[in-house]
Amino acid sequence: MTSLAYFFLILLSLLAPSRPLSTPPPAPPRPNPKISIQSSLDSLYTSSQSIRCPFFRRRAQDVVDSSAIVLRFLVARHKTLFPAWAMELTLTPPGSLPLLSSAGSEKLTGLSPTSVLSVVEGDWERQYYVTGHLTPSIYSDSCLFTGPDPDLPVRGLRKYLAASSHLFDPKTSSSVLTSSRVTEGGDVEVDWRLEGNLRLPWRPEIPTIEGTTLYVLGGDGLVEEHREVWKIGVADAFFETLAPDRVKKWAAGLRGIVKTVNND
């Protein structure tokens, strides 16, 4: 009986449709090379934030930015050297990927200039020029930040915040809003005063800087350009900041002598 049962089992196995003993695991999806390149450049930019010295940190970021520019140039001018997918490569500037990605962090599009002004005034109460604590939801992620500062222009909200939040010593620095308004063109403009110390090893003191910032709004109501102007000469500001005290005293004495000679 046992042999008969064994026979029927063999027969059934022969008649049953054949199938592999084990199903091989599906091959992992191949990464999108365009996304991989963008992610690699952005990761390099993010890694540069760990450099403590502001000067060398910015230089490292410039190298990453320049690498992206060179890559775009090579793809455009030497198409035969690259695969077909590279022809569609449009790199977002490194460090300019969206700052916010979690749920509930959508951009506040469609705000009136008056509403944007109210948010900007709140940011100034938090002294965002010193702390970097602004409201990202009213800015375009690719916002252009321009001004006399040698670290500007910068395109990308995340880039700007990374630089501004490590520039000033918050314990000894302050930024004060002196006036604000909506312009005739429908943008937001503010006047301000900034003073304090830079986060450099010798903590240089900056002269009191007064200036104006224009927040240019795009069609969606987001700030697409942050345009800064100083009322002090750039050379004077940086000489006062970086020159040792004895050099400042020598320069002040020299200016006094020149003024006396001119008056005579």
Side-chain angles (χ1 to χ4, degrees):
M1 187 67 182
T2 303
S3 299
L4 184 60
Y6 185 69
F7 170 78
F8 277 112
L9 287 175
I10 294 176
L11 182 62
L12 288 173
S13 65
L14 292 173
L15 295 176
S18 60
R19 60 182 179 181
L21 296 178
S22 60
T23 304
R30 297 182 62 183
N32 186 326
K34 292 182 289 186
I35 297 177
S36 298
I37 292 174
Q38 177 70 76
S39 298
S40 297
L41 288 171
D42 199 68
S43 295
L44 286 173
Y45 192 95
T46 301
S47 298
S48 68
Q49 303 301 330
S50 61
I51 301 174
R52 298 186 63 181
C53 176
F55 175 82
F56 289 109
R57 180 172 59 245
R58 181 55 196 270
R59 301 294 78 76
Q61 293 167 354
D62 287 344
V63 169
V64 179
D65 282 334
S66 299
S67 299
I69 294 172
V70 170
L71 181 57
R72 286 195 296 267
F73 172 80
L74 290 176
V75 170
R77 295 296 299 273
H78 304 282
K79 299 180 180 180
T80 57
L81 300 179
F82 296 89
W85 58 261
M87 299 305 102
E88 303 174 4
L89 184 63
T90 55
L91 292 174
T92 301
S96 298
L97 293 182
L99 177 72
L100 301 171
S101 57
S102 59
S105 61
E106 293 81 6
K107 296 294 184 179
L108 298 177
T109 57
L111 293 181
S112 66
T114 303
S115 298
V116 174
L117 174 60
S118 178
V119 176
V120 168
E121 289 173 339
D123 289 343
W124 274 97
E125 291 180 4
R126 293 189 293 275
Q127 301 194 63
Y128 85 92
Y129 258 41
V130 171
T131 64
H133 295 162
L134 52 68
T135 303
S137 54
I138 67 168
Y139 289 82
S140 166
D141 284 317
S142 59
C143 180
L144 177 63
F145 294 82
T146 64
D149 192 304
D151 282 341
L152 300 178
V154 164
R155 180 173 291 282
L157 178 58
R158 191 149 60 107
K159 283 185 181 181
Y160 175 77
L161 291 180
S164 63
S165 60
H166 296 89
L167 184 58
F168 296 100
D169 184 347
K171 297 179 181 178
T172 59
S173 304
S174 65
S175 56
V176 180
L177 183 68
T178 56
S179 65
S180 59
R181 55 202 166 272
V182 174
T183 67
E184 294 182 358
D187 297 317
V188 172
E189 191 174 56
V190 303
D191 299 317
W192 47 266
R193 183 174 65 253
L194 174 67
E195 56 190 1
N197 298 82
L198 297 179
R199 271 188 178 176
L200 293 173
W202 65 97
R203 291 295 190 269
E205 181 179 359
I206 64 171
T208 299
I209 299 176
E210 295 182 344
T212 300
T213 299
L214 178 66
Y215 303 80
V216 180
L217 306 184
D220 54 4
L222 297 177
V223 179
E224 64 180 13
E225 184 177 352
H226 181 283
R227 191 182 303 161
E228 181 180 311
V229 177
W230 296 355
K231 295 180 180 178
I232 186 176
V234 177
D236 291 339
F238 284 94
F239 175 79
E240 291 290 334
T241 300
L242 300 178
D245 290 339
R246 60 179 179 273
V247 175
K248 294 178 185 177
K249 293 179 180 178
W250 176 83
L254 181 61
R255 283 195 294 266
I257 293 174
V258 171
K259 184 177 180 180
T260 302
V261 172
N262 290 337
N263 290 336
D264 292 341

